[in-house]
Amino acid sequence: MKVTALAGDVPAALAGALAARGVDRRSAEALAAGGAPVALLLEPLDEADATALVRGAARAGLDCHTGDGWAVVAGTLARLGGLARADASSPATERLSLALGRFLQDVQDPPLVWRTARRAISLERSSVVGILNVTPDSFSDGGRHFALADALAGARAMREAGAAVLDVGGESTRPGAARPDEAEELRRVVPVVRALAAEVGLPVSVDTRRAAVARAALEAGAEIVNDVSGLTADPAMAELVRGTGAGVVIMHMRGEPQTMDAAAVYRDVAAEVAAELAERRDTALAAGVERERIVLDPGLGFAKTPAHNLRLLDCLGALVALGHPVMVGPSRKRFLGAVTGRPVESRDAATAAACVAARLRGARLFRVHDVAAAREALAVADAVLAGGDDPAGRGAGTGGGAGG
Ligand code: HH2
């Protein structure tokens, strides 16, 4: 007897192996999806919840570790489904079934479109969001797009390079940057948004923490609000997003850009960022923002050390499991300098590599300065993930070989 490892964490690999041995395709896919590994942290948990979980997990064949007020349960998705099946035999088992049922609904239904105020953006393949900072002081492109003509030329070049969205920001959020007042931010952002929406033909997103700036940008043709405060800085922002039907990026940050470095203290960065983002997402949902308008972003570089950013990229699955498309913004950031030793102006290869790492962990949107480099790297990642099914719609050809 020979034992061969399958790529057990890749459902397509399992399905392919089963189908190649005569299992019909649908059953093979269902079996493979159920075999996907999951590990969940449940907290806070009281004594009764913990007892119900330990018993239920043992019955379902799941591994379970409990501690003071918390539990980790691990196994396959199919076995977790068994544990989540409605069980009202006690209030504790009912609470458990409900919480797990909600979780499973999110992970089993990953949205592949993003609804904005003007359209639905397909996320079947990776979408690159081109950064257009109309600021004098952004850490990498400050001053480059400050004049309207430069912003338009930059936007057209990004469209040619394959950008799916243009993100316009009038405030640098690098640590320690001075904040422009509202009138100045409006002056920077609105004319550029108006020109891009009218002349470039790509969806425009506005990167702002101010509802008044977001409102003026949406009126000028923007359709997405990218809020690095995760809708916490301005109490009017969630209602604005709801009322306009804008798409929204809820990004994770702690504190303010001016002070955030001091807040970069985590016991378990991925779990904490996922939990804090889930809370902000829930607040948005409670304010009436529709689920399919929300994209989540770990906020690389915002209240995170280089080690935190790298761990977050590796553990992005914790965010993907919240059931929303995930955006990442690694572009030219300090943690890439820490890894490569490269200065800010030559970090585009590192940025593309970080995008690919994030894509392999489930991210769908990539906010970058160099659109062409990211697009090319992500085309390869998309093709790998499609397993030869060719997401770009170009025939893979039959030639193969090492060089052709
Ligand atoms: N990063 C920056 C600004 N906005 N938005 C999202 N959703 N995700 C990010 O990671 C993100 C963001 C900071 O980068 P940049 O715009 O290049 O610089 P600056 O803030 O100095 O203008």
Side-chain angles (χ1 to χ4, degrees):
M1 187 194 303
K2 215 165 55 175
V3 179
T4 307
L6 301 172
D9 57 337
V10 180
L14 277 182
L18 290 166
R21 283 158 185 79
V23 179
D24 78 87
R25 193 85 216 175
R26 280 186 59 179
S27 317
E29 278 171 8
L31 246 153
V38 275
L40 304 181
L41 170 68
L42 290 87
E43 66 179 351
L45 273 188
D46 64 20
E47 196 84 19
D49 289 340
T51 309
L53 179 63
V54 170
R55 290 208 183 116
R59 264 202 310 276
L62 292 154
D63 294 329
C64 185
H65 303 270
T66 56
D68 191 12
W70 59 266
V72 168
V73 57
T76 65
L77 206 54
R79 285 175 186 267
L80 193 73
L83 180 57
R85 225 155 278 140
D87 178 352
S89 58
S90 79
T93 57
E94 196 172 358
R95 270 198 301 277
L96 188 63
S97 300
L98 263 175
L100 291 176
R102 251 197 323 268
F103 170 83
L104 285 174
Q105 205 167 359
D106 284 349
V107 284
Q108 284 177 357
D109 194 20
L112 288 179
V113 288
W114 184 18
R115 296 201 183 281
T116 74
R118 288 167 189 253
R119 73 193 89 198
I121 298 173
S122 167
L123 301 176
E124 291 278 346
R125 67 167 197 162
S126 309
S127 292
V128 174
V129 178
I131 303 173
L132 256 176
N133 283 317
V134 283
T135 57
D137 57 347
S138 284
F139 78 94
S140 117
D141 61 346
R144 277 197 47 201
H145 302 117
F146 210 39
L148 186 58
D150 294 338
L152 258 173
R156 289 199 178 103
M158 287 184 198
R159 182 188 60 198
E160 297 321 308
V165 176
L166 298 169
D167 186 39
V168 179
E171 177 198 2
S172 171
T173 44
R174 73 186 153 76
R179 195 172 186 199
D181 65 22
E182 186 175 298
E184 173 61 18
E185 197 183 339
L186 282 165
R187 240 190 325 273
R188 290 177 184 177
V189 165
V190 175
V192 173
V193 167
R194 182 169 294 115
L196 297 187
E199 293 180 43
V200 181
L202 286 179
V204 176
S205 135
V206 60
D207 183 348
T208 185
R209 294 182 282 158
R210 290 185 168 116
V213 174
R215 176 180 301 284
L218 291 167
E219 283 167 5
E223 53 198 90
I224 295 160
V225 177
N226 172 24
D227 183 348
V228 298
S229 82
L231 305 180
T232 64
D234 189 327
M237 193 68 107
E239 170 54 23
L240 174 72
V241 169
R242 186 204 64 75
T244 54
V248 61
V249 184
I250 298 182
M251 198 197 79
H252 179 271
M253 171 169 59
R254 284 179 175 175
E256 294 270 314
Q258 286 73 13
T259 57
M260 63 190 176
D261 282 354
V265 182
Y266 303 86
R267 252 190 341 163
D268 177 357
V269 66
E272 287 170 56
V273 167
E276 288 167 31
L277 269 179
E279 232 170 76
R280 284 166 210 175
R281 183 271 317 265
D282 289 345
T283 307
L285 291 174
V289 177
E290 291 170 318
R291 177 174 286 272
E292 61 267 32
R293 308 210 180 253
I294 300 175
V295 161
L296 301 177
D297 184 323
L300 299 173
F302 287 82
K304 280 117 197 156
T305 63
H308 291 143
N309 293 313
L310 295 167
R311 174 53 62 88
L312 268 171
L313 281 173
D314 195 26
C315 300
L316 213 57
L319 271 64
V320 174
L322 295 174
H324 295 266
V326 168
M327 178 186 290
V328 291
S331 200
R332 300 179 183 168
K333 286 185 179 168
R334 208 169 24 163
F335 77 99
L336 296 177
V339 172
T340 61
R342 296 268 187 189
V344 65
E345 65 280 6
S346 49
R347 291 181 190 155
D348 288 327
T351 299
C355 289
V356 168
R359 177 70 191 95
L360 298 178
R361 297 289 194 231
R364 294 272 168 184
L365 292 132
F366 306 86
R367 182 182 179 277
V368 300
H369 300 88
D370 183 345
V371 171
R375 197 41 287 143
E376 188 172 332
L378 287 164
V380 177
D382 284 347
V384 168
L385 289 171
D389 290 347
D390 198 10
R394 286 179 221 110
T398 51

